[in-house]
Amino acid sequence: MGGIVVLGLLVFLLLVFLMTAITMVKQGYVYTIERFGKFTKAADPGLTIIFPLIDRVGHRINMMEQVLDIPGQEIITKDNAMVGVDAVVFFQVLDAPKAAYEVSGLHPAIMALTTTNLRTVMGSMDLDETLSKRDEINARLLSVVDHATSPWGIKITRVEIKDIRPPRDISEAMARQMKAERLKRAEILEAEGDRQSRILRAEGEKQSAILKAEGARESAFRDAEARERAAEAEAKATQMVSDAIASSGNQAINYFVAQEYTKAVGKFADSPNAKTILFPVEATQLIGSLGGIGELVREAISPAERAPTDNGVPIPQTRERGTAASRAGVPHTGRDGS
């Protein structure tokens, strides 16, 4: 009976030993194993056997990338403006023993280091620079904090400024400044547009004046050319009339006078206001003028064409000149009455 109790006790102790000797490390973590308080090894994810009462798990180090929220800080900028700043830090443990034993309290250490460097970086900049150069602030903080935490076996992957809160009065002043700047830009753009419009309008008027001047010059040139040609035609017609008068004498003059006289009489007939026309001239003058035209026409015809023929032999005819009918311009018939 006593042997069974002892055997059961030994089995129980063996089970307790096995339970305490086998340690399961979760994925994404690394455990540090200490023997009598001294670091001996780092246990990777999986099952790890240790000696109970001799070895123990010292620190459970998270090897995944972590996010550390930096609480709001009141920072005085270079131009003595008080601003509130919030930030976040992304980091990852690369060496578990260093992260466990090189620094006491990893998260508070990273937070304190980031806060102090945030004050240093933003305190060296003006308010306008802190609002417009967030990327530069992030880069400087990342470089400084990563260099300072590298002995701890961690890697700072990113530092981001979440929010920058200037005081209310400064915010209102900045809003007024922005409004004034936008009004200034609007007035400048409006002035530039008006200036460009005036320039374009002046250019259009200039081109229009140039085209009008060119058109007037071309029109004057064409008018002068037309008058020159009309003058040439008039001179040629006058020369032809002079030649006709010189060659035919009074008969040509009578022809031209009768032609103009007839045109003048025809204009009286075309008048819509006159039903009865009185001519203060003698009819014999018009008849005499017409007789002069007929005489001129007959003289223009060759003698061979005017003389009658008898079997191809011209028949001589006589004509009295200087009669009263001839002087009146009426053609005179021959002696045979034909």
Short mmCIF file of all heavy atoms in Angstrom, two decimals, residues 38 44-45 76 94 101 134 147 152 173 179 195 264 285 287 297 302:
data_model
loop_
_atom_site.label_atom_id
_atom_site.label_comp_id
_atom_site.label_asym_id
_atom_site.label_seq_id
_atom_site.Cartn_x
_atom_site.Cartn_y
_atom_site.Cartn_z
N LYS A 38 20.41 34.69 -14.78
CA LYS A 38 21.28 35.15 -15.86
C LYS A 38 20.72 34.68 -17.20
O LYS A 38 20.29 33.55 -17.35
CB LYS A 38 22.68 34.59 -15.65
CG LYS A 38 23.67 35.04 -16.71
CD LYS A 38 25.05 34.43 -16.45
CE LYS A 38 26.05 34.87 -17.52
NZ LYS A 38 27.39 34.28 -17.29
N ASP A 44 12.72 30.74 -29.42
CA ASP A 44 11.92 31.11 -30.58
C ASP A 44 10.54 30.48 -30.48
O ASP A 44 10.30 29.61 -29.64
CB ASP A 44 12.63 30.65 -31.86
CG ASP A 44 13.96 31.37 -32.07
OD1 ASP A 44 14.03 32.56 -31.68
OD2 ASP A 44 14.92 30.78 -32.64
N PRO A 45 9.60 30.89 -31.35
CA PRO A 45 8.25 30.32 -31.30
C PRO A 45 8.27 28.80 -31.44
O PRO A 45 8.99 28.23 -32.25
CB PRO A 45 7.55 30.99 -32.49
CG PRO A 45 8.27 32.29 -32.67
CD PRO A 45 9.70 32.01 -32.33
N ILE A 76 6.76 75.32 -27.63
CA ILE A 76 6.97 76.71 -28.01
C ILE A 76 7.87 76.74 -29.24
O ILE A 76 8.98 76.21 -29.22
CB ILE A 76 7.60 77.50 -26.86
CG1 ILE A 76 6.69 77.46 -25.63
CG2 ILE A 76 7.85 78.95 -27.27
CD1 ILE A 76 7.27 78.15 -24.41
N LEU A 94 14.16 44.01 -33.09
CA LEU A 94 14.98 43.14 -33.92
C LEU A 94 15.87 42.20 -33.09
O LEU A 94 16.20 41.10 -33.54
CB LEU A 94 15.86 44.00 -34.85
CG LEU A 94 15.12 44.95 -35.80
CD1 LEU A 94 16.13 45.72 -36.65
CD2 LEU A 94 14.13 44.19 -36.68
N TYR A 101 17.18 43.66 -21.92
CA TYR A 101 18.17 43.92 -20.88
C TYR A 101 18.96 45.21 -21.08
O TYR A 101 19.70 45.60 -20.17
CB TYR A 101 19.13 42.74 -20.78
CG TYR A 101 18.44 41.44 -20.49
CD1 TYR A 101 18.29 40.46 -21.46
CD2 TYR A 101 17.92 41.19 -19.22
CE1 TYR A 101 17.64 39.26 -21.19
CE2 TYR A 101 17.26 39.99 -18.95
CZ TYR A 101 17.12 39.05 -19.93
OH TYR A 101 16.47 37.87 -19.65
N ARG A 134 5.63 69.29 -42.39
CA ARG A 134 5.45 68.10 -41.55
C ARG A 134 6.35 66.96 -42.01
O ARG A 134 6.86 66.19 -41.19
CB ARG A 134 3.99 67.65 -41.58
CG ARG A 134 3.04 68.60 -40.87
CD ARG A 134 1.71 67.93 -40.63
NE ARG A 134 0.79 68.82 -39.92
CZ ARG A 134 -0.39 68.44 -39.43
NH1 ARG A 134 -0.78 67.19 -39.60
NH2 ARG A 134 -1.17 69.29 -38.81
N HIS A 147 18.40 56.49 -34.47
CA HIS A 147 19.81 56.41 -34.08
C HIS A 147 19.97 56.22 -32.57
O HIS A 147 20.86 55.49 -32.11
CB HIS A 147 20.53 57.68 -34.54
CG HIS A 147 21.97 57.71 -34.18
ND1 HIS A 147 22.93 56.93 -34.80
CD2 HIS A 147 22.65 58.44 -33.23
CE1 HIS A 147 24.11 57.16 -34.29
NE2 HIS A 147 23.98 58.07 -33.32
N TRP A 152 19.26 49.51 -28.34
CA TRP A 152 18.25 48.75 -27.63
C TRP A 152 17.73 47.58 -28.46
O TRP A 152 16.84 46.85 -28.00
CB TRP A 152 17.06 49.64 -27.25
CG TRP A 152 17.47 50.81 -26.40
CD1 TRP A 152 18.64 50.97 -25.73
CD2 TRP A 152 16.69 51.97 -26.14
NE1 TRP A 152 18.66 52.16 -25.06
CE2 TRP A 152 17.45 52.82 -25.29
CE3 TRP A 152 15.43 52.43 -26.51
CZ2 TRP A 152 17.01 54.05 -24.83
CZ3 TRP A 152 14.98 53.65 -26.05
CH2 TRP A 152 15.77 54.45 -25.22
N ALA A 173 -6.04 84.85 -36.62
CA ALA A 173 -5.14 85.74 -37.38
C ALA A 173 -4.70 85.08 -38.69
O ALA A 173 -4.63 85.74 -39.74
CB ALA A 173 -3.93 86.10 -36.53
N LYS A 179 -7.35 85.03 -45.87
CA LYS A 179 -8.40 85.71 -46.63
C LYS A 179 -7.84 86.92 -47.35
O LYS A 179 -8.15 87.17 -48.53
CB LYS A 179 -9.51 86.13 -45.66
CG LYS A 179 -10.67 86.81 -46.35
CD LYS A 179 -11.76 87.16 -45.35
CE LYS A 179 -12.93 87.85 -46.04
NZ LYS A 179 -14.01 88.21 -45.08
N ARG A 195 -5.89 94.08 -67.90
CA ARG A 195 -4.76 94.54 -68.70
C ARG A 195 -4.64 93.75 -70.00
O ARG A 195 -4.46 94.31 -71.09
CB ARG A 195 -3.48 94.40 -67.88
CG ARG A 195 -2.19 94.69 -68.65
CD ARG A 195 -1.01 94.64 -67.69
NE ARG A 195 0.25 94.70 -68.41
CZ ARG A 195 0.92 93.65 -68.87
NH1 ARG A 195 0.43 92.42 -68.66
NH2 ARG A 195 2.06 93.78 -69.52
N ALA A 264 -32.18 114.46 -126.69
CA ALA A 264 -32.83 115.44 -125.81
C ALA A 264 -34.33 115.43 -125.99
O ALA A 264 -35.10 115.49 -125.02
CB ALA A 264 -32.26 116.84 -126.08
N GLN A 285 -35.64 122.71 -138.75
CA GLN A 285 -34.28 122.54 -138.23
C GLN A 285 -34.01 121.08 -137.95
O GLN A 285 -32.94 120.56 -138.28
CB GLN A 285 -34.10 123.37 -136.96
CG GLN A 285 -34.18 124.87 -137.20
CD GLN A 285 -34.00 125.66 -135.92
OE1 GLN A 285 -33.84 125.05 -134.86
NE2 GLN A 285 -34.02 126.98 -136.02
N ILE A 287 -35.57 118.54 -139.37
CA ILE A 287 -35.55 117.85 -140.67
C ILE A 287 -34.23 118.11 -141.38
O ILE A 287 -33.63 117.20 -141.98
CB ILE A 287 -36.74 118.29 -141.55
CG1 ILE A 287 -38.07 117.87 -140.89
CG2 ILE A 287 -36.64 117.73 -142.97
CD1 ILE A 287 -39.29 118.44 -141.60
N VAL A 297 -24.43 109.69 -144.70
CA VAL A 297 -24.47 108.25 -144.92
C VAL A 297 -24.26 107.93 -146.37
O VAL A 297 -23.54 107.00 -146.73
CB VAL A 297 -25.80 107.68 -144.39
CG1 VAL A 297 -25.98 106.22 -144.82
CG2 VAL A 297 -25.87 107.81 -142.88
N SER A 302 -19.66 103.90 -151.23
CA SER A 302 -18.80 104.08 -152.42
C SER A 302 -19.64 104.40 -153.64
O SER A 302 -20.78 103.97 -153.75
CB SER A 302 -17.98 102.81 -152.64
OG SER A 302 -18.85 101.73 -152.90
#
